[in-house]
């Protein structure tokens, strides 16, 4: 999905090959993602928190509480580093995929919209 790459251009190249490996058709398309509204805490980050972080960082959990927007703002560099490197979240929760990490980074870069 081009939207996962922010405001970018992506060239996609298609090649059709015969069984012997010879290329008989090539086509390319440039996809441009449209600028979109940045993610917000309530619509994009809080649901991600509930899905991926609340088990350990939710209200009353044992790890540092991150259930409020202000906690994320204070620790955003650490949060991004930990999810980017795969240190968080811990099993049994699946790691964040690249589009989820990009969502957090975009939210941060946009000034942490509510």
């Amino acid at each position: 999905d081009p939207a996962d790459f922010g405001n970018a251009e992506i060239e996609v190249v298609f090649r059709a090959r015969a069984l012997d490996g010879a290329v008989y058709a090539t086509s390319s398309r440039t996809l441009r993602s449209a600028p979109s509204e940045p993610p917000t805490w309530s619509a994009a980050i809080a649901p991600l928190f509930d899905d991926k972080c609340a088990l350990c960082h939710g209200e009353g959990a044992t790890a540092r509480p991150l259930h409020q927007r202000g906690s994320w703002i204070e620790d955003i560099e650490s949060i991004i580093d930990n999810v980017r490197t795969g240190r968080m979240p811990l099993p049994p929760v699946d790691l964040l995929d690249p589009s989820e990490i990009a969502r957090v980074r975009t939210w941060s870069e946009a000034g942490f919209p509510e």
Side-chain angles (χ1 to χ4, degrees):
D1 184 355
D4 290 342
F5 297 96
N7 191 13
E9 284 189 8
I10 303 158
E11 181 178 15
V12 180
V13 178
F14 304 91
R15 289 188 185 90
R17 295 183 186 273
L19 292 175
D20 66 1
V23 175
Y24 64 89
T26 300
S27 178
S28 68
R29 299 287 181 266
T30 300
L31 306 175
R32 290 176 184 84
S33 62
S36 61
E37 293 296 316
T40 63
W41 169 258
S42 57
I45 305 303
L48 181 64
F49 168 80
D50 290 340
D51 186 42
K52 301 284 187 159
C53 313
L55 181 65
C56 296
H57 295 279
E59 193 169 4
T62 57
R64 175 169 172 22
L66 292 173
H67 60 282
Q68 295 181 347
R69 179 175 165 264
S71 300
W72 279 64
I73 293 170
E74 291 173 15
D75 287 346
I76 195 64
E77 294 303 320
S78 176
I79 291 168
I80 290 173
D81 185 54
N82 282 319
V83 298
R84 186 185 52 77
T85 60
R87 288 191 295 266
M88 295 286 165
L90 298 174
V93 179
D94 293 333
L95 297 175
L96 276 68
D97 65 41
S99 68
E100 292 168 324
I101 296 168
R103 185 185 326 161
V104 173
R105 182 171 291 136
T106 302
W107 176 68
S108 167
E109 292 168 353
F112 309 102
E114 180 63 47

